[in-house]
């Protein structure tokens, strides 16, 4: 089901710190994929069904799921939606021997990285998994950055938060002072402290941070 190629390039992500989760009810396919990824130094986890996967403890490292699209009782697309509802964010590379265009479109719209029809070339799968792991690394980086931003936001005083809300809405210091009943110099002090605590240097960065935090407009 897997076509061998002459060239096997190691993926860009560090193989030692990533995981490829293989879900296929065919033990021959699972074994072949396990050998393929281990041959380029990548760790793997093997499951014969989606049910086995959800009962397992998945590692908290960048990775992806290589998933067959059809299983008894559930299809891969429904399982993709289930993983998303459970907050499991591993990108998915689908494999199928029965795929069609509507199915592949649905999978890609739901966030799948690729949709490979069996038989496929080893290099095509390696490339898809590489892209998926890179996407997961970016996702995890964004989550970590938002978590750090929330920690910094929690250090703001209530007044600094009020000033931030009005500043990102486009008000000048004098206008913020009028709204909050403060002097303009006091607003400047709160604004300076708020910018320092959030580690931002420009209004544009402050607006982006406010959007990331989901702050309501005044």
């Amino acid at each position: 089901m897997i076509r061998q190629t002459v060239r096997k390039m190691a993926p860009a992500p560090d193989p030692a710190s990533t995981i490829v989760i293989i879900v296929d009810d065919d033990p021959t396919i699972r074994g072949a994929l396990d050998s393929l990824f281990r041959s380029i130094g990548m760790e793997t986890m093997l499951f014969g069904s989606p049910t086995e996967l959800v009962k397992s403890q998945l590692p908290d490292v960048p990775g992806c799921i290589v998933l067959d699209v059809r299983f008894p009782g559930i299809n891969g697309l429904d399982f993709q939606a289930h993983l998303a509802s459970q907050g499991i964010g591993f990108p998915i590379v689908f494999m199928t021997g029965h795929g069609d265009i509507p199915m592949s479109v649905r999978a890609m719209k739901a966030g799948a990285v690729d949709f490979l029809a069996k038989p496929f070339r080893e290099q095509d799968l390696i490339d898809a998994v590489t892209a998926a792991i890179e996407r997961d690394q970016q996702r995890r980086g964004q989550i970590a950055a938002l978590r750090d931003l929330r920690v910094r936001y929690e250090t703001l005083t209530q007044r600094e938060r009020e000033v931030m809300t009005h500043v990102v809405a486009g008000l000048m210091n004098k206008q913020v002072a009028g709204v909050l009943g403060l002097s303009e110099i006091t607003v400047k002090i709160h604004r300076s402290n708020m910018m320092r605590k959030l580690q931002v240097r420009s209004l544009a960065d402050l607006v982006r941070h406010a959007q990331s935090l989901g702050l309501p407009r005044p």
Side-chain angles (χ1 to χ4, degrees):
M1 293 295 244
I2 303 175
R3 293 176 178 170
Q4 292 187 346
T5 57
V6 176
R7 177 177 60 95
K8 284 193 289 185
M9 296 178 60
D14 180 8
S17 59
T18 60
I19 189 76
V20 181
I21 302 166
I22 301 165
V23 190
D24 195 299
D25 59 358
D26 186 333
T28 302
I29 295 294
R30 290 200 305 273
L33 296 180
D34 181 48
S35 297
L36 171 64
F37 291 114
R38 289 188 178 277
S39 73
I40 56 175
M42 301 190 77
E43 294 296 322
T44 61
M45 294 181 72
L46 308 181
F47 299 100
S49 70
T51 302
E52 290 181 16
L53 187 152
V54 297
K55 291 181 178 179
S56 301
Q57 182 68 38
L58 301 178
D60 187 19
V61 297
C64 74
I65 298 174
V66 178
L67 179 66
D68 194 7
V69 80
R70 293 185 186 275
F71 293 92
I74 185 173
N75 66 56
L77 300 183
D78 291 338
F79 185 58
Q80 179 187 27
H82 173 74
L83 291 177
S85 71
Q86 298 300 307
I88 299 175
F90 284 113
I92 295 176
V93 175
F94 276 107
M95 306 176 296
T96 180
H98 314 85
D100 55 24
I101 293 176
M103 185 181 294
S104 63
V105 169
R106 178 184 165 190
M108 300 299 282
K109 284 185 175 180
V113 175
D114 212 335
F115 197 93
L116 301 176
K118 302 174 184 176
F120 45 77
R121 297 188 314 127
E122 289 181 347
Q123 191 61 50
D124 290 341
L125 181 58
I126 290 174
D127 291 344
V129 165
T130 299
I133 292 176
E134 289 175 346
R135 178 187 293 186
D136 197 40
Q137 289 175 323
Q138 293 172 358
R139 178 186 68 86
R140 289 170 180 272
Q142 292 167 351
I143 291 174
L146 180 57
R147 182 169 55 245
D148 291 343
L149 175 59
R150 285 174 175 160
V151 169
R152 296 197 299 273
Y153 180 74
E154 290 299 319
T155 67
L156 301 184
T157 66
Q158 183 59 37
R159 185 64 82 186
E160 288 165 353
R161 295 182 189 185
E162 292 172 351
V163 170
M164 176 180 177
T165 299
H166 291 293
V167 168
V168 298
L171 273 63
M172 305 296 290
N173 289 339
K174 185 175 182 178
Q175 294 171 310
V176 176
V179 171
L180 298 180
L182 303 172
S183 68
E184 187 174 353
I185 187 63
T186 299
V187 169
K188 288 181 179 179
I189 292 172
H190 285 311
R191 179 170 178 169
S192 175
N193 290 337
M194 173 262 296
M195 299 282 280
R196 174 179 53 80
K197 291 178 180 179
L198 292 179
Q199 300 176 14
V200 295
R201 296 185 177 182
S202 69
L203 177 58
D205 287 341
L206 186 64
V207 170
R208 282 192 290 270
H209 281 2
Q211 291 173 340
S212 296
L213 291 166
L215 299 184
R217 295 179 64 87

